[in-house]
Structure formats: C-alpha cells, structure tokens
Amino acid sequence: DIQMTQSPSSLSASVGDRVTITCRASQSISNYLNWYQQKPGKAPKLLIYAASSLQSGVPSKFSGSGSGTDFTLTISSLQPEDFATYYCQQTYSTLWTFGQGTKVEIK
Amino acid sequence: EVQLVESGGGLVQPGGSLRLSCAASGFTFSSYWMSWVRQAPGKGLEWVANIKQDGSEKYYEGSVRGRFTISRDNAKNSLYLQMNSLRAEDTAVYYCARDQQWLGNGFGYYYGMDVWGQGTTVTVSS
C-alpha cells in the first residue's frame, strides 16, 4: 500500500497567517492527490483534487501544489473558520490511503 | 439537494455482524463510484472500500478484506457495507461518500470524495 505522511501533525497559527501543510507519498503518485478539511463532529469536505484543482465552491485562499511524491496545501490568509484538521489522500492506486492529518489550531 | 444518509450502526459484540446502509438522493446514484470511509475515535480517516457504478469492481482496505463486503442497489439508490467477524479495532464512525471523477492526464480518472453522509457509529465491545 502507498503510505502518506503529513507534516506537521499539528500547528498553531494566528488569523491572517499563511499556512503550509506538507504531504509525502511513499512512492510516486503523479498528481493523484486530494486534500480534505474536517471540523470536529463533521464529515470531511473536499478542498483540492488532482493536487492543484480547486473543488467547486471552495474559496481561492486554498491552493495545492506538487507532483510525484511531495505535495503542499497552502492557506493564504488563515481565518477563524479555517481552524480544522486537514488530510491528504492518494487515489493513484486502487487502494486509497489518507495521511494521518494535520490539526491547525489557534495561536 | 444532494444527500447521503447512513444508518445501521450500533453496538455489537466482537465476532458479530452488522450491515450499514447509505441512502442517496438528489443525484444519479448509478453514475458514480461510491466509497465507505471510517474514523476511529480521536483518529484519522481510513478509506475502507469502494464499488464501481454497476457493482462489477470492488476494492477493500487490507484489514477488512475478507470480512467486509460492499454492495449497492441502484434501483433503490442505496449503498451497503456488510461487516462480519467484527473486532474492537473496527469501532469507528462510518461515512459513505460519493466518488466524483474528473478526466485524468492520460492515466485514467482523478477521483475525489465530494459528497459525504453524516456518519453512523459502530461500536464493537463486549
């Protein structure tokens, strides 16, 4: 199975900060990489697919980049509603896997 | 409104069985792959299984293969997960999700889970 590793596992940031989360795959996955946001007690929400394509309705402050094994999710200016846990997911293989998550907390 | 509603969760003893259901509405269910994803208490997301539009292809995460069976009934707009030989480590919130697809760059489709249910809780304990 393809292992996905996110870093950091958690971070503290202030409103207005630019935040970057990294996801690394155990083998090349081209750009078959998604990002999700999950708030406590809620279902996840798709933010980015194909590494850099913004899902419909998602604000442009979210952006994704990368290809091969290394990917990033960037939030350009953190707002109160962005404090959540973020997950990457690969769909390159038929057995999909998620990263362990990055919790973004208020500083 | 596009919606997925799970049901069937509950408390079950180790070794027992449970069948989860997911009712879809607001979209053409038979046009989409569908997935089950779970989340153990305080833990991250884990993809469990998915199924092709016509049920002809199914894929499973390693720890559930041979114990869980994903199925669908397109006439009833419903997705199912039959869970047998349940273990304590299967305790989780189980979500059903729609697998949206976009044309890829020459290597198949891109997939992303764009619609999710609210989840149903499965607790495996004696």
Side-chain angles (χ1 to χ4, degrees):
Chain A
D1 294 3
I2 298 174
Q3 308 302 318
M4 306 300 293
T5 304
Q6 290 181 231
S7 59
S9 294
S10 65
L11 65 90
S12 295
S14 301
V15 172
D17 283 354
R18 180 183 181 91
V19 168
T20 297
I21 298 168
T22 296
C23 177
R24 175 164 289 175
S26 60
Q27 67 179 74
S28 177
I29 58 169
S30 184
N31 62 337
Y32 289 79
L33 191 283
N34 303 323
W35 290 98
Y36 298 85
Q37 175 195 67
Q38 187 181 32
K39 297 180 180 179
K42 300 294 186 182
K45 174 186 177 182
L46 178 65
L47 300 176
I48 301 282
Y49 65 92
S52 61
S53 295
L54 198 65
Q55 169 66 352
S56 176
V58 173
S60 58
K61 62 181 172 181
F62 292 98
S63 63
S65 66
S67 184
T69 60
D70 295 316
F71 303 86
T72 59
L73 173 70
T74 300
I75 309 171
S76 60
S77 177
L78 203 64
Q79 296 302 305
E81 62 270 21
D82 302 328
F83 291 94
T85 300
Y86 294 84
Y87 295 91
C88 63
Q89 177 211 18
Q90 65 81 20
T91 60
Y92 179 83
S93 75
T94 55
L95 306 183
W96 297 351
T97 46
F98 287 93
Q100 83 279 13
T102 296
K103 187 174 184 179
V104 177
E105 299 176 301
I106 301 173
K107 181 182 285 185
Chain B
E1 180 190 5
V2 174
Q3 196 172 10
L4 296 170
V5 179
E6 302 95 336
S7 60
L11 174 64
V12 60
Q13 291 188 338
S17 297
L18 211 55
R19 189 196 196 205
L20 306 183
S21 299
C22 172
S25 60
F27 66 98
T28 305
F29 178 73
S30 59
S31 295
Y32 293 88
W33 283 76
M34 296 293 296
S35 282
W36 287 99
V37 175
R38 67 183 178 183
Q39 187 168 36
K43 302 298 184 182
L45 301 172
E46 181 178 43
W47 172 82
V48 172
N50 66 354
I51 185 169
K52 194 176 179 179
Q53 291 92 330
D54 61 1
S56 62
E57 292 183 42
K58 306 173 185 181
Y59 298 98
Y60 298 92
E61 186 273 329
S63 71
V64 309
R65 193 176 300 127
R67 299 189 299 124
F68 290 10
T69 302
I70 189 171
S71 62
R72 65 192 297 162
D73 185 335
N74 287 341
K76 296 183 177 180
N77 292 331
S78 293
L79 177 71
Y80 306 101
L81 186 67
Q82 177 67 43
M83 303 186 295
N84 298 331
S85 303
L86 282 161
R87 307 166 180 167
E89 54 265 36
D90 296 317
T91 294
V93 174
Y94 285 73
Y95 296 100
C96 68
R98 185 177 80 173
D99 297 341
Q100 180 62 269
Q101 64 183 44
W102 300 268
L103 195 59
N105 56 359
F107 182 69
Y109 289 94
Y110 295 109
Y111 288 93
M113 290 177 269
D114 70 333
V115 179
W116 295 69
Q118 84 289 351
T120 188
T121 300
V122 173
T123 304
V124 184
S125 175
S126 54

